[in-house]
Amino acid sequence: MLQPVAVGHKNLADYTHIVGWPLIDEVRSLAEPLAGLRVLHLSATAFGGGVSEILYTLVPLMRDVGIEAEWQVIYGREEFFNSTKLLHNALQGAPDDLTVDQWATWKHYNEMNARELSEDWDVIIVHDPQPAAIHSLVPEKGRLWVWRCHIDLSTPNEETIGHLLPYLQTYPRSVFHMPEYVPNGMDGRVYVIPPAIDPLAPKNMALSPEDAIYVCNQFGLDVDRPLMCQVSRFDPWKDPLGVIDTYRLAKDEFPDLQLALVGSMATDDPEGWDYFNATVAHAEGDPDIHILNNFNNVGSVEVNAFQSHADVLIQKSIREGFGLTVSEAIWKARPMIAGNVGGIPLQIHDGESGFLVDTTEECAERATRILRDPALGKDLGRRGKEHVRANFLMPRLLRDWLRIFGEGGGP
Ligand code: UDP
């Protein structure tokens, strides 16, 4: 019932020229005594969102350094995912807790998956709240259990976190993006480790300016005119309507400006489609606003091209767990302006490696400043890229996991 995910193969050595020898050496020496360690990652989905994005790189790199890592996706049906979507929203502060029946559904699917889980794992890493009850149900199936939280738990619905906390407290280890996200009352050893991006994935790999232009051209962008770009799901917390307002303010001074709003859609996410339609309506047919999604054939390479070619990158989030899209965008060495929320300030030092903003007006002011002064944009972009290189690339995350394994249980 638990589905193994095929992740392909990756070589840590390929990252040497990007992150440097010292980190690669450190990873190898941490990995040596852990050879053969059996590590299982459990998550709710293999598609979409930050968790799967990370595991598609982290798992093969763990294998490359000698860990017997596997990734399995839990079994769930619509009723389970309806409950866990509410759970996710409530944990990020939405007012409605799950009903008694929805909590029972969540528990029921955790019980089914717990029964099916195989035994004899050295480490089991449970990602996010969907499968979080499993440890309390079958603790004997793994020697060390870690709960890895990818969401912002700083202001949760009190009832919801109250219900979930007893299940989280059983984990001997837990990992959060930021100290602010650690709920009161966590037991065990708590680590604060931000996530990371894969600089060699098609979404982030080096693309020549000519290739980026070629791709942008195909999507109807005028490559000789300035471009503003945000890549994000169509979701109120990502504020695509605010991005359009920002673009309109900046367009008063730069009438040539174009905007690309890029977001992937799921067929089974009606909320996403509603918000996509609201975004299209807000654009009012402006031919310089390009609203694109995966149904227009926009995949990783296209996202890479838009980001690499953009004059100004935006991530105007109002709320954000970490915001992998921020590091992904900054890695293209283009200037980024982003909401001063959640994990974004970890990734951008205001005025140095990008700009942090609180309002649409501020966002537009910074955008016009960059458009007026391309040298400023270049500097911000270059320093941003170095900040991402030093802090948010996958070999660093691999090292941090190996340190946890090293403290917690050899083979
Ligand atoms: N993503 C994508 N295409 C899109 C929008 C998002 O591939 O159109 C990816 C994005 O590149 C990132 C992940 O989905 O790797 C989203 O992670 P993030 O932390 O930015 O936000 P979340 O969607 O998890 O809130």
Side-chain angles (χ1 to χ4, degrees):
M1 262 209 318
L2 287 143
Q3 289 299 319
V5 183
V7 289
H9 184 73
K10 288 188 194 285
N11 284 315
L12 182 64
D14 294 343
Y15 295 75
T16 314
H17 70 289
I18 299 173
V19 299
W21 269 113
L23 179 57
I24 301 293
D25 274 352
E26 189 184 357
V27 167
R28 292 215 185 278
S29 48
L30 284 165
E32 209 174 62
L34 298 169
L37 195 76
R38 298 193 68 234
V39 174
L40 174 66
H41 291 268
L42 273 186
S43 79
T45 170
F47 301 104
V51 178
S52 52
E53 199 74 32
I54 292 165
L55 293 182
Y56 275 112
T57 299
L58 185 62
V59 172
L61 284 181
M62 282 187 174
R63 287 184 188 163
D64 187 56
V65 298
I67 306 288
E68 286 186 25
E70 266 198 52
W71 172 15
Q72 292 178 9
V73 169
I74 56 167
Y75 168 77
R77 288 167 64 158
E78 198 183 342
E79 50 176 351
F80 175 65
F81 292 117
N82 287 339
S83 301
T84 58
K85 179 142 197 184
L86 277 171
L87 175 59
H88 182 272
N89 289 342
L91 288 172
Q92 299 220 101
D96 293 327
D97 186 24
L98 282 69
T99 62
V100 171
D101 281 355
Q102 286 165 331
W103 275 117
T105 302
W106 173 75
K107 186 76 184 296
H108 173 64
Y109 278 87
N110 269 266
E111 283 162 356
M112 276 197 281
N113 283 292
R115 264 197 307 276
E116 296 297 320
L117 183 66
S118 56
E119 299 184 1
D120 281 338
W121 295 97
D122 291 310
V123 185
I124 300 180
I125 302 167
V126 177
H127 293 267
D128 274 349
Q130 298 94 327
I134 290 183
H135 171 240
S136 62
L137 297 164
V138 285
E140 71 285 357
K141 292 191 175 179
R143 292 206 306 119
L144 177 69
W145 287 75
V146 188
W147 187 59
R148 194 348 165 183
C149 177
H150 295 263
I151 62 179
D152 176 353
L153 287 182
S154 54
T155 50
N157 177 313
E158 289 300 330
E159 274 175 84
T160 314
I161 192 71
H163 197 120
L164 187 67
L165 199 58
Y167 298 100
L168 306 181
Q169 284 169 326
T170 66
Y171 284 85
R173 304 278 188 277
S174 55
V175 183
F176 296 83
H177 293 337
M178 301 188 43
E180 294 82 348
Y181 297 173
V182 182
N184 289 331
M186 279 305 286
D187 290 335
R189 202 178 301 170
V190 175
Y191 297 83
V192 173
I193 299 174
I197 64 164
D198 180 359
L200 296 179
K203 189 182 292 171
N204 299 317
M205 68 191 186
L207 209 57
S208 72
E210 296 74 27
D211 287 341
I213 282 173
Y214 180 75
V215 173
C216 290
N217 234 329
Q218 289 180 337
F219 284 88
L221 296 165
D222 182 341
V223 294
D224 296 319
R225 287 165 48 197
L227 175 65
M228 181 184 271
C229 174
Q230 171 162 304
V231 177
S232 267
R233 288 180 295 113
F234 290 96
D235 177 307
W237 302 118
K238 311 285 186 185
D239 199 19
L241 305 189
V243 180
I244 292 178
D245 295 338
T246 299
Y247 150 85
R248 287 201 171 116
L249 287 172
K251 200 171 170 81
D252 286 342
E253 189 176 331
F254 292 91
D256 269 1
L257 187 62
Q258 307 167 92
L259 172 64
L261 281 172
V262 184
S264 58
M265 309 295 303
T267 42
D268 61 349
D269 181 6
E271 262 178 43
W273 281 107
D274 288 349
Y275 213 69
F276 176 81
N277 292 333
T279 308
V280 172
H282 198 65
E284 293 172 352
D286 182 338
D288 287 336
I289 301 181
H290 300 259
I291 302 176
L292 300 164
N293 62 43
N294 44 324
F295 291 93
N296 311 120
N297 255 345
V298 174
S300 299
V301 173
E302 287 77 14
V303 165
N304 189 340
F306 298 145
Q307 291 177 331
S308 300
H309 182 69
D311 299 277
V312 186
L313 296 161
I314 309 278
Q315 185 62 54
K316 217 190 147 306
S317 302
I318 293 164
R319 181 130 201 189
E320 193 62 80
F322 179 75
L324 282 173
T325 48
V326 173
S327 278
E328 288 168 354
I330 298 176
W331 182 245
K332 317 306 187 304
R334 312 302 297 155
M336 160 66 86
I337 308 170
N340 190 12
V341 292
I344 294 178
L346 290 176
Q347 302 172 74
I348 295 179
H349 294 149
D350 188 31
E352 211 175 286
S353 48
F355 287 123
L356 295 173
V357 293
D358 293 308
T359 63
T360 301
E361 289 71 25
E362 271 176 23
C363 195
E365 192 279 326
R366 303 299 187 277
T368 48
R369 212 194 284 179
I370 289 170
L371 290 169
R372 246 179 264 135
D373 183 359
L376 169 67
K378 213 168 167 182
D379 277 354
L380 293 170
R382 208 189 50 232
R383 285 195 294 261
K385 179 163 185 165
E386 289 319 306
H387 182 62
V388 171
R389 189 195 304 279
N391 297 284
F392 302 114
L393 298 184
M394 202 58 78
R396 187 275 301 156
L397 183 59
L398 174 62
R399 177 200 64 193
D400 294 344
W401 274 114
L402 295 175
R403 282 183 180 160
I404 294 178
F405 300 162
E407 286 169 20

